[in-house]
Amino acid sequence: MWTLRLLSKLKRCNFSLSNELEALLAEKIAQLIPCAEMSRFGKNGSDATTAAIRLSRAYTGRDEVAVCGYHGWHDWYIGSTDKKLGVPEATQSLTHKFQFNNIDSLEALFKKRKDKIAAVILEPMNITYPEADFLPGVKALCQEYGAVLVFDETVTGFRFDLGGAQNFWCYTRLSNFGKGIANGMPLSVVTGKKEIMQLLDEVFLFHLWRELLSIAAALATIEKLEKQSGIQKITTYGTQLKEGLEALISQFSCSDFLSVSGNPVWSFSIYMLMSLKSYICGKHSTCKRR
């Protein structure tokens, strides 16, 4: 039913200009995501993370950012990695890393930078589960030092839970989501509290940023996830895959160099190359050390 209704609304429209489907999706997100009082749509995850950082800087009047995880290719983040070629040093100096599940590393950063940090942005989970007190501890530090807490849910959003990872770990002030909301179609979302998001009246984000086909896809995807227990099915299939891989690793005695990590909906095979080399050398007498 949604498909037919969406197709009727897509007739005779300009796919890059405003359409009522945007309002429908924003209302749906507000029902699902705890922090989502207002939303803006982009076309990729880097759009959304950069939007969250710009809004945080505008809201706090500060420039610096604390990061943990991967947050896209734009200068503000990629300048803190080994892929920083072409990023001005002045931009690089504004972004600081802290360690996942190490609240002391973030607290030390706050104490050193004091009132200069505008936002703390992190993935609530990627390969490793957060320890019980880590995310609440991050939130508490942000409240103490006046920084905006941003969850980058490009990975966790609409895979772990329809309400995002914040729905079962801790609430935040801004969040961003990626193409998982639209079943792989090019769409991203920055969403959050009204007192921050309303700065969009003055903060410039995206030019011809709308992706109406993807917005329609998101509405259809969310409906299917809700009505057909989509998250539960993804979790079930992912668990079967993860357990199957672990059984094969055990069967072929590969646990010294191969493991599986992460949540079933987003799991990773991890290779330890030095152990793999030792394994191969032990199996083949013709293998020579170099």
Side-chain angles (χ1 to χ4, degrees), residues 35-76:
C35 75
E37 295 177 356
M38 297 178 70
S39 297
R40 175 69 68 90
F41 305 111
K43 295 188 179 183
N44 59 70
S46 295
D47 282 351
T49 55
T50 298
I53 296 306
R54 187 173 296 177
L55 283 167
S56 298
R57 285 170 165 165
Y59 180 73
T60 62
R62 304 173 181 178
D63 295 332
E64 300 185 13
V65 181
V67 301
C68 178
Y70 173 76
H71 306 295
W73 66 273
H74 292 174
D75 283 6
W76 71 268

mmCIF file of all heavy atoms in Angstrom, residues 35-76:
data_model
loop_
_atom_site.group_PDB
_atom_site.id
_atom_site.type_symbol
_atom_site.label_atom_id
_atom_site.label_comp_id
_atom_site.label_asym_id
_atom_site.label_seq_id
_atom_site.Cartn_x
_atom_site.Cartn_y
_atom_site.Cartn_z
ATOM 1 N N CYS A 35 15.757 11.634 20.563
ATOM 2 C CA CYS A 35 16.183 13.043 20.539
ATOM 3 C C CYS A 35 15.592 13.829 19.376
ATOM 4 O O CYS A 35 15.812 15.031 19.263
ATOM 5 C CB CYS A 35 17.718 13.127 20.473
ATOM 6 S SG CYS A 35 18.428 12.734 18.850
ATOM 7 N N ALA A 36 14.825 13.180 18.503
ATOM 8 C CA ALA A 36 14.462 13.766 17.207
ATOM 9 C C ALA A 36 13.273 14.711 17.296
ATOM 10 O O ALA A 36 12.132 14.321 17.048
ATOM 11 C CB ALA A 36 14.179 12.660 16.194
ATOM 12 N N GLU A 37 13.553 15.983 17.599
ATOM 13 C CA GLU A 37 12.510 16.996 17.594
ATOM 14 C C GLU A 37 12.444 17.712 16.249
ATOM 15 O O GLU A 37 11.375 18.192 15.854
ATOM 16 C CB GLU A 37 12.765 17.998 18.720
ATOM 17 C CG GLU A 37 12.647 17.365 20.097
ATOM 18 C CD GLU A 37 12.957 18.300 21.240
ATOM 19 O OE1 GLU A 37 13.356 19.460 20.967
ATOM 20 O OE2 GLU A 37 12.801 17.885 22.398
ATOM 21 N N MET A 38 13.566 17.792 15.542
ATOM 22 C CA MET A 38 13.619 18.346 14.189
ATOM 23 C C MET A 38 14.642 17.545 13.385
ATOM 24 O O MET A 38 15.594 16.998 13.960
ATOM 25 C CB MET A 38 14.030 19.828 14.204
ATOM 26 C CG MET A 38 13.056 20.747 14.915
ATOM 27 S SD MET A 38 13.644 22.484 14.941
ATOM 28 C CE MET A 38 13.464 22.905 13.200
ATOM 29 N N SER A 39 14.450 17.471 12.076
ATOM 30 C CA SER A 39 15.357 16.697 11.222
ATOM 31 C C SER A 39 15.666 17.447 9.940
ATOM 32 O O SER A 39 14.858 18.253 9.461
ATOM 33 C CB SER A 39 14.746 15.331 10.857
ATOM 34 O OG SER A 39 14.553 14.527 11.992
ATOM 35 N N ARG A 40 16.835 17.160 9.387
ATOM 36 C CA ARG A 40 17.218 17.657 8.058
ATOM 37 C C ARG A 40 17.861 16.489 7.310
ATOM 38 O O ARG A 40 18.582 15.691 7.897
ATOM 39 C CB ARG A 40 18.204 18.818 8.195
ATOM 40 C CG ARG A 40 18.764 19.347 6.870
ATOM 41 C CD ARG A 40 17.721 20.064 6.021
ATOM 42 N NE ARG A 40 17.258 21.308 6.595
ATOM 43 C CZ ARG A 40 17.812 22.490 6.361
ATOM 44 N NH1 ARG A 40 18.873 22.592 5.574
ATOM 45 N NH2 ARG A 40 17.321 23.580 6.913
ATOM 46 N N PHE A 41 17.604 16.411 6.016
ATOM 47 C CA PHE A 41 18.055 15.273 5.219
ATOM 48 C C PHE A 41 19.195 15.652 4.285
ATOM 49 O O PHE A 41 19.210 16.739 3.702
ATOM 50 C CB PHE A 41 16.884 14.705 4.406
ATOM 51 C CG PHE A 41 15.705 14.338 5.264
ATOM 52 C CD1 PHE A 41 14.524 15.067 5.204
ATOM 53 C CD2 PHE A 41 15.794 13.289 6.157
ATOM 54 C CE1 PHE A 41 13.451 14.749 6.006
ATOM 55 C CE2 PHE A 41 14.720 12.956 6.970
ATOM 56 C CZ PHE A 41 13.543 13.687 6.898
ATOM 57 N N GLY A 42 20.142 14.745 4.143
ATOM 58 C CA GLY A 42 21.245 14.876 3.196
ATOM 59 C C GLY A 42 21.325 13.640 2.324
ATOM 60 O O GLY A 42 20.382 12.839 2.278
ATOM 61 N N LYS A 43 22.470 13.452 1.666
ATOM 62 C CA LYS A 43 22.580 12.338 0.720
ATOM 63 C C LYS A 43 23.601 11.287 1.121
ATOM 64 O O LYS A 43 23.641 10.218 0.534
ATOM 65 C CB LYS A 43 22.911 12.885 -0.676
ATOM 66 C CG LYS A 43 21.803 13.750 -1.255
ATOM 67 C CD LYS A 43 22.065 14.118 -2.699
ATOM 68 C CE LYS A 43 20.912 14.965 -3.255
ATOM 69 N NZ LYS A 43 21.086 15.302 -4.680
ATOM 70 N N ASN A 44 24.445 11.581 2.120
ATOM 71 C CA ASN A 44 25.418 10.581 2.560
ATOM 72 C C ASN A 44 25.790 10.844 4.009
ATOM 73 O O ASN A 44 25.483 11.898 4.563
ATOM 74 C CB ASN A 44 26.663 10.572 1.661
ATOM 75 C CG ASN A 44 27.355 11.909 1.638
ATOM 76 O OD1 ASN A 44 27.955 12.337 2.622
ATOM 77 N ND2 ASN A 44 27.267 12.609 0.502
ATOM 78 N N GLY A 45 26.463 9.869 4.617
ATOM 79 C CA GLY A 45 26.791 9.976 6.029
ATOM 80 C C GLY A 45 27.677 11.152 6.370
ATOM 81 O O GLY A 45 27.532 11.768 7.432
ATOM 82 N N SER A 46 28.619 11.486 5.479
ATOM 83 C CA SER A 46 29.500 12.626 5.732
ATOM 84 C C SER A 46 28.722 13.935 5.773
ATOM 85 O O SER A 46 29.071 14.846 6.541
ATOM 86 C CB SER A 46 30.600 12.696 4.658
ATOM 87 O OG SER A 46 31.445 11.572 4.729
ATOM 88 N N ASP A 47 27.677 14.060 4.954
ATOM 89 C CA ASP A 47 26.794 15.225 5.032
ATOM 90 C C ASP A 47 26.255 15.390 6.454
ATOM 91 O O ASP A 47 26.275 16.489 7.026
ATOM 92 C CB ASP A 47 25.583 15.046 4.100
ATOM 93 C CG ASP A 47 25.896 15.313 2.640
ATOM 94 O OD1 ASP A 47 26.989 15.803 2.336
ATOM 95 O OD2 ASP A 47 25.010 15.028 1.800
ATOM 96 N N ALA A 48 25.768 14.289 7.005
ATOM 97 C CA ALA A 48 25.080 14.357 8.287
ATOM 98 C C ALA A 48 26.037 14.609 9.443
ATOM 99 O O ALA A 48 25.726 15.396 10.347
ATOM 100 C CB ALA A 48 24.299 13.060 8.520
ATOM 101 N N THR A 49 27.204 13.954 9.445
ATOM 102 C CA THR A 49 28.148 14.188 10.541
ATOM 103 C C THR A 49 28.671 15.628 10.506
ATOM 104 O O THR A 49 28.792 16.279 11.542
ATOM 105 C CB THR A 49 29.328 13.205 10.486
ATOM 106 O OG1 THR A 49 29.961 13.272 9.207
ATOM 107 C CG2 THR A 49 28.876 11.794 10.761
ATOM 108 N N THR A 50 28.954 16.116 9.302
ATOM 109 C CA THR A 50 29.433 17.493 9.176
ATOM 110 C C THR A 50 28.356 18.487 9.594
ATOM 111 O O THR A 50 28.643 19.501 10.240
ATOM 112 C CB THR A 50 29.884 17.768 7.734
ATOM 113 O OG1 THR A 50 30.973 16.890 7.424
ATOM 114 C CG2 THR A 50 30.335 19.208 7.543
ATOM 115 N N ALA A 51 27.109 18.206 9.258
ATOM 116 C CA ALA A 51 26.003 19.070 9.683
ATOM 117 C C ALA A 51 25.912 19.116 11.201
ATOM 118 O O ALA A 51 25.724 20.190 11.800
ATOM 119 C CB ALA A 51 24.689 18.558 9.091
ATOM 120 N N ALA A 52 26.070 17.960 11.845
ATOM 121 C CA ALA A 52 25.996 17.909 13.313
ATOM 122 C C ALA A 52 27.122 18.720 13.954
ATOM 123 O O ALA A 52 26.902 19.421 14.954
ATOM 124 C CB ALA A 52 26.051 16.458 13.780
ATOM 125 N N ILE A 53 28.309 18.646 13.374
ATOM 126 C CA ILE A 53 29.441 19.400 13.925
ATOM 127 C C ILE A 53 29.249 20.899 13.715
ATOM 128 O O ILE A 53 29.486 21.710 14.616
ATOM 129 C CB ILE A 53 30.764 18.927 13.293
ATOM 130 C CG1 ILE A 53 31.032 17.470 13.668
ATOM 131 C CG2 ILE A 53 31.923 19.817 13.725
ATOM 132 C CD1 ILE A 53 31.012 17.182 15.157
ATOM 133 N N ARG A 54 28.790 21.292 12.545
ATOM 134 C CA ARG A 54 28.574 22.719 12.297
ATOM 135 C C ARG A 54 27.494 23.283 13.219
ATOM 136 O O ARG A 54 27.630 24.387 13.751
ATOM 137 C CB ARG A 54 28.205 22.953 10.828
ATOM 138 C CG ARG A 54 28.148 24.435 10.473
ATOM 139 C CD ARG A 54 27.959 24.652 8.987
ATOM 140 N NE ARG A 54 29.104 24.155 8.226
ATOM 141 C CZ ARG A 54 29.178 24.159 6.894
ATOM 142 N NH1 ARG A 54 28.163 24.621 6.183
ATOM 143 N NH2 ARG A 54 30.242 23.706 6.274
ATOM 144 N N LEU A 55 26.429 22.532 13.416
ATOM 145 C CA LEU A 55 25.377 22.968 14.332
ATOM 146 C C LEU A 55 25.906 23.076 15.764
ATOM 147 O O LEU A 55 25.582 24.021 16.495
ATOM 148 C CB LEU A 55 24.202 21.989 14.285
ATOM 149 C CG LEU A 55 23.274 22.117 13.073
ATOM 150 C CD1 LEU A 55 22.357 20.911 12.975
ATOM 151 C CD2 LEU A 55 22.444 23.405 13.166
ATOM 152 N N SER A 56 26.723 22.107 16.171
ATOM 153 C CA SER A 56 27.291 22.121 17.529
ATOM 154 C C SER A 56 28.186 23.333 17.724
ATOM 155 O O SER A 56 28.157 23.988 18.786
ATOM 156 C CB SER A 56 28.083 20.837 17.783
ATOM 157 O OG SER A 56 27.253 19.702 17.710
ATOM 158 N N ARG A 57 28.978 23.658 16.722
ATOM 159 C CA ARG A 57 29.846 24.837 16.816
ATOM 160 C C ARG A 57 29.029 26.115 16.883
ATOM 161 O O ARG A 57 29.328 27.036 17.655
ATOM 162 C CB ARG A 57 30.806 24.859 15.625
ATOM 163 C CG ARG A 57 31.937 23.842 15.730
ATOM 164 C CD ARG A 57 32.733 23.709 14.456
ATOM 165 N NE ARG A 57 33.999 23.008 14.682
ATOM 166 C CZ ARG A 57 34.766 22.508 13.725
ATOM 167 N NH1 ARG A 57 34.393 22.639 12.444
ATOM 168 N NH2 ARG A 57 35.893 21.889 14.023
ATOM 169 N N ALA A 58 27.974 26.179 16.082
ATOM 170 C CA ALA A 58 27.117 27.369 16.103
ATOM 171 C C ALA A 58 26.417 27.507 17.452
ATOM 172 O O ALA A 58 26.272 28.616 17.983
ATOM 173 C CB ALA A 58 26.089 27.284 14.978
ATOM 174 N N TYR A 59 25.995 26.399 18.023
ATOM 175 C CA TYR A 59 25.246 26.419 19.275
ATOM 176 C C TYR A 59 26.124 26.792 20.467
ATOM 177 O O TYR A 59 25.703 27.549 21.357
ATOM 178 C CB TYR A 59 24.613 25.048 19.500
ATOM 179 C CG TYR A 59 23.798 24.934 20.762
ATOM 180 C CD1 TYR A 59 22.548 25.540 20.871
ATOM 181 C CD2 TYR A 59 24.276 24.206 21.851
ATOM 182 C CE1 TYR A 59 21.794 25.426 22.032
ATOM 183 C CE2 TYR A 59 23.532 24.087 23.016
ATOM 184 C CZ TYR A 59 22.289 24.700 23.096
ATOM 185 O OH TYR A 59 21.549 24.594 24.247
ATOM 186 N N THR A 60 27.351 26.267 20.493
ATOM 187 C CA THR A 60 28.231 26.484 21.647
ATOM 188 C C THR A 60 29.146 27.689 21.496
ATOM 189 O O THR A 60 29.679 28.201 22.489
ATOM 190 C CB THR A 60 29.115 25.255 21.897
ATOM 191 O OG1 THR A 60 29.956 25.033 20.744
ATOM 192 C CG2 THR A 60 28.273 24.023 22.159
ATOM 193 N N GLY A 61 29.385 28.139 20.261
ATOM 194 C CA GLY A 61 30.349 29.203 20.023
ATOM 195 C C GLY A 61 31.785 28.723 20.174
ATOM 196 O O GLY A 61 32.701 29.541 20.317
ATOM 197 N N ARG A 62 31.992 27.418 20.118
ATOM 198 C CA ARG A 62 33.329 26.835 20.243
ATOM 199 C C ARG A 62 33.740 26.198 18.917
ATOM 200 O O ARG A 62 32.909 25.995 18.033
ATOM 201 C CB ARG A 62 33.341 25.780 21.353
ATOM 202 C CG ARG A 62 32.881 26.306 22.710
ATOM 203 C CD ARG A 62 32.761 25.179 23.711
ATOM 204 N NE ARG A 62 32.306 25.631 25.013
ATOM 205 C CZ ARG A 62 32.082 24.807 26.039
ATOM 206 N NH1 ARG A 62 32.283 23.499 25.909
ATOM 207 N NH2 ARG A 62 31.666 25.297 27.195
ATOM 208 N N ASP A 63 35.028 25.824 18.814
ATOM 209 C CA ASP A 63 35.548 25.341 17.535
ATOM 210 C C ASP A 63 36.004 23.883 17.541
ATOM 211 O O ASP A 63 36.015 23.241 16.490
ATOM 212 C CB ASP A 63 36.746 26.189 17.092
ATOM 213 C CG ASP A 63 36.365 27.631 16.801
ATOM 214 O OD1 ASP A 63 35.204 27.864 16.416
ATOM 215 O OD2 ASP A 63 37.230 28.515 16.960
ATOM 216 N N GLU A 64 36.405 23.362 18.687
ATOM 217 C CA GLU A 64 37.091 22.075 18.708
ATOM 218 C C GLU A 64 36.127 20.904 18.878
ATOM 219 O O GLU A 64 35.009 21.055 19.368
ATOM 220 C CB GLU A 64 38.166 22.075 19.797
ATOM 221 C CG GLU A 64 39.207 23.167 19.562
ATOM 222 C CD GLU A 64 40.359 23.122 20.543
ATOM 223 O OE1 GLU A 64 40.511 22.102 21.260
ATOM 224 O OE2 GLU A 64 41.125 24.108 20.596
ATOM 225 N N VAL A 65 36.598 19.721 18.451
ATOM 226 C CA VAL A 65 35.751 18.535 18.424
ATOM 227 C C VAL A 65 36.532 17.340 18.961
ATOM 228 O O VAL A 65 37.717 17.173 18.651
ATOM 229 C CB VAL A 65 35.286 18.219 16.977
ATOM 230 C CG1 VAL A 65 34.379 16.987 16.952
ATOM 231 C CG2 VAL A 65 34.570 19.416 16.362
ATOM 232 N N ALA A 66 35.861 16.501 19.745
ATOM 233 C CA ALA A 66 36.428 15.235 20.210
ATOM 234 C C ALA A 66 35.761 14.102 19.437
ATOM 235 O O ALA A 66 34.525 14.062 19.340
ATOM 236 C CB ALA A 66 36.208 15.066 21.709
ATOM 237 N N VAL A 67 36.569 13.201 18.885
ATOM 238 C CA VAL A 67 36.029 12.158 18.005
ATOM 239 C C VAL A 67 36.462 10.778 18.473
ATOM 240 O O VAL A 67 37.534 10.587 19.041
ATOM 241 C CB VAL A 67 36.476 12.370 16.544
ATOM 242 C CG1 VAL A 67 36.025 13.714 16.017
ATOM 243 C CG2 VAL A 67 37.990 12.212 16.395
ATOM 244 N N CYS A 68 35.605 9.804 18.189
ATOM 245 C CA CYS A 68 35.911 8.405 18.469
ATOM 246 C C CYS A 68 35.176 7.557 17.439
ATOM 247 O O CYS A 68 33.952 7.485 17.447
ATOM 248 C CB CYS A 68 35.474 8.044 19.884
ATOM 249 S SG CYS A 68 35.759 6.328 20.337
ATOM 250 N N GLY A 69 35.927 6.947 16.522
ATOM 251 C CA GLY A 69 35.302 6.169 15.457
ATOM 252 C C GLY A 69 35.566 6.801 14.109
ATOM 253 O O GLY A 69 36.387 7.710 13.968
ATOM 254 N N TYR A 70 34.823 6.354 13.105
ATOM 255 C CA TYR A 70 34.936 6.895 11.748
ATOM 256 C C TYR A 70 33.730 7.774 11.454
ATOM 257 O O TYR A 70 32.587 7.368 11.669
ATOM 258 C CB TYR A 70 35.012 5.761 10.722
ATOM 259 C CG TYR A 70 34.965 6.269 9.297
ATOM 260 C CD1 TYR A 70 36.080 6.869 8.722
ATOM 261 C CD2 TYR A 70 33.798 6.175 8.543
ATOM 262 C CE1 TYR A 70 36.036 7.361 7.419
ATOM 263 C CE2 TYR A 70 33.745 6.665 7.237
ATOM 264 C CZ TYR A 70 34.869 7.252 6.685
ATOM 265 O OH TYR A 70 34.815 7.748 5.400
ATOM 266 N N HIS A 71 33.981 8.988 10.935
ATOM 267 C CA HIS A 71 32.889 9.946 10.756
ATOM 268 C C HIS A 71 32.886 10.622 9.388
ATOM 269 O O HIS A 71 32.373 11.736 9.255
ATOM 270 C CB HIS A 71 32.931 10.987 11.873
ATOM 271 C CG HIS A 71 32.923 10.393 13.242
ATOM 272 N ND1 HIS A 71 31.853 9.671 13.736
ATOM 273 C CD2 HIS A 71 33.870 10.375 14.221
ATOM 274 C CE1 HIS A 71 32.134 9.239 14.960
ATOM 275 N NE2 HIS A 71 33.349 9.653 15.269
ATOM 276 N N GLY A 72 33.480 9.994 8.381
ATOM 277 C CA GLY A 72 33.370 10.531 7.032
ATOM 278 C C GLY A 72 34.659 11.137 6.498
ATOM 279 O O GLY A 72 35.701 11.101 7.150
ATOM 280 N N TRP A 73 34.566 11.700 5.309
ATOM 281 C CA TRP A 73 35.764 12.144 4.594
ATOM 282 C C TRP A 73 36.003 13.651 4.671
ATOM 283 O O TRP A 73 37.033 14.143 4.191
ATOM 284 C CB TRP A 73 35.683 11.730 3.120
ATOM 285 C CG TRP A 73 34.597 12.408 2.336
ATOM 286 C CD1 TRP A 73 33.307 12.015 2.208
ATOM 287 C CD2 TRP A 73 34.721 13.607 1.570
ATOM 288 N NE1 TRP A 73 32.603 12.891 1.417
ATOM 289 C CE2 TRP A 73 33.454 13.878 0.998
ATOM 290 C CE3 TRP A 73 35.772 14.490 1.300
ATOM 291 C CZ2 TRP A 73 33.207 14.980 0.190
ATOM 292 C CZ3 TRP A 73 35.521 15.592 0.483
ATOM 293 C CH2 TRP A 73 34.256 15.825 -0.059
ATOM 294 N N HIS A 74 35.116 14.410 5.271
ATOM 295 C CA HIS A 74 35.263 15.867 5.292
ATOM 296 C C HIS A 74 36.438 16.306 6.171
ATOM 297 O O HIS A 74 36.853 15.596 7.090
ATOM 298 C CB HIS A 74 33.965 16.527 5.754
ATOM 299 C CG HIS A 74 32.852 16.376 4.756
ATOM 300 N ND1 HIS A 74 31.568 16.787 5.016
ATOM 301 C CD2 HIS A 74 32.829 15.855 3.510
ATOM 302 C CE1 HIS A 74 30.803 16.542 3.952
ATOM 303 N NE2 HIS A 74 31.540 15.970 3.039
ATOM 304 N N ASP A 75 36.947 17.501 5.887
ATOM 305 C CA ASP A 75 38.200 17.966 6.493
ATOM 306 C C ASP A 75 38.213 17.906 8.017
ATOM 307 O O ASP A 75 39.220 17.544 8.626
ATOM 308 C CB ASP A 75 38.491 19.409 6.055
ATOM 309 C CG ASP A 75 39.030 19.500 4.634
ATOM 310 O OD1 ASP A 75 39.061 18.454 3.951
ATOM 311 O OD2 ASP A 75 39.403 20.607 4.215
ATOM 312 N N TRP A 76 37.112 18.310 8.648
ATOM 313 C CA TRP A 76 37.093 18.418 10.115
ATOM 314 C C TRP A 76 37.436 17.081 10.767
ATOM 315 O O TRP A 76 38.041 17.042 11.836
ATOM 316 C CB TRP A 76 35.738 18.927 10.611
ATOM 317 C CG TRP A 76 34.637 17.909 10.448
ATOM 318 C CD1 TRP A 76 33.789 17.778 9.380
ATOM 319 C CD2 TRP A 76 34.280 16.872 11.368
ATOM 320 N NE1 TRP A 76 32.931 16.719 9.568
ATOM 321 C CE2 TRP A 76 33.208 16.152 10.777
ATOM 322 C CE3 TRP A 76 34.751 16.475 12.618
ATOM 323 C CZ2 TRP A 76 32.597 15.061 11.408
ATOM 324 C CZ3 TRP A 76 34.151 15.389 13.242
ATOM 325 C CH2 TRP A 76 33.088 14.696 12.643
#
